[in-house]
């Protein structure tokens, strides 16, 4: 018969082995554009509006830039960043399947880009609207 101490160690080792096989929360590939859209729509407390998202994306909001300044007016092809000149991959998920598949990365880039365009973070409704427009862009 095993001692209680050995039984506990064996159980802990089994739990650790199981934990190492589970995906980390908010790791790359943890979501998709539709799930992000649902998350932001729920946080906004209202359904997203694709047309409002298109207008938001292509408009300047009192500053020098719009989202389109770096992502292109219709973000289905690579574009150039307005200040760095670096290539920006297509933002629309149908044209770049990696977009909006990582919750942490999506949150980070929305936060950073909204501060550049709006001088503040985007609201959940603004994110939902923009994403509603982006997901309806198809090849």
């Amino acid at each position: 018969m095993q001692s209680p101490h050995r039984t506990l160690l064996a159980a802990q080792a089994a739990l650790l082995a199981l934990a190492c096989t589970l995906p980390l929360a908010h790791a790359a590939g943890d979501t998709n554009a539709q799930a992000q859209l649902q998350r932001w729509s729920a946080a906004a407390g209202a359904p997203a509006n694709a047309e409002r998202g298109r207008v938001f994306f292509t408009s300047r909001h009192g500053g020098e830039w719009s989202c389109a300044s770096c992502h292109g007016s219709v973000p289905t092809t690579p574009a150039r960043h307005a200040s760095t000149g670096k290539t920006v991959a297509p933002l629309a998920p149908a044209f770049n399947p990696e977009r909006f598949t990582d919750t942490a990365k999506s949150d980070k880039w929305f936060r950073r880009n909204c501060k550049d365009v709006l001088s503040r973070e985007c609201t959940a409704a603004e994110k939902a609207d923009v994403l509603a427009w982006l997901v309806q862009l198809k090849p």
Side-chain angles (χ1 to χ4, degrees), residues 18-31:
L18 176 62
C20 291
T21 65
L22 297 174
L24 295 174
H26 303 300
D30 73 338
T31 190

Side-chain angles (χ1 to χ4, degrees), residues 13-93:
L15 284 173
L16 180 59
L18 176 62
C20 291
T21 65
L22 297 174
L24 295 174
H26 303 300
D30 73 338
T31 190
N32 60 49
Q34 199 59 44
Q36 295 281 12
L37 176 56
Q38 291 171 350
R39 176 173 72 106
W40 291 324
S41 293
N49 179 298
E51 178 56 19
R52 203 169 45 221
R54 182 194 65 76
V55 170
F56 181 91
F57 189 90
T58 56
S59 299
R60 292 185 179 165
H61 301 271
E64 185 177 330
W65 295 355
S66 69
C67 304
S69 298
C70 297
H71 293 286
S73 332
V74 181
T76 57
T77 59
R80 294 247 177 244
H81 190 276
S83 67
T84 67
K86 290 182 182 179
T87 299
V88 178
L91 190 58

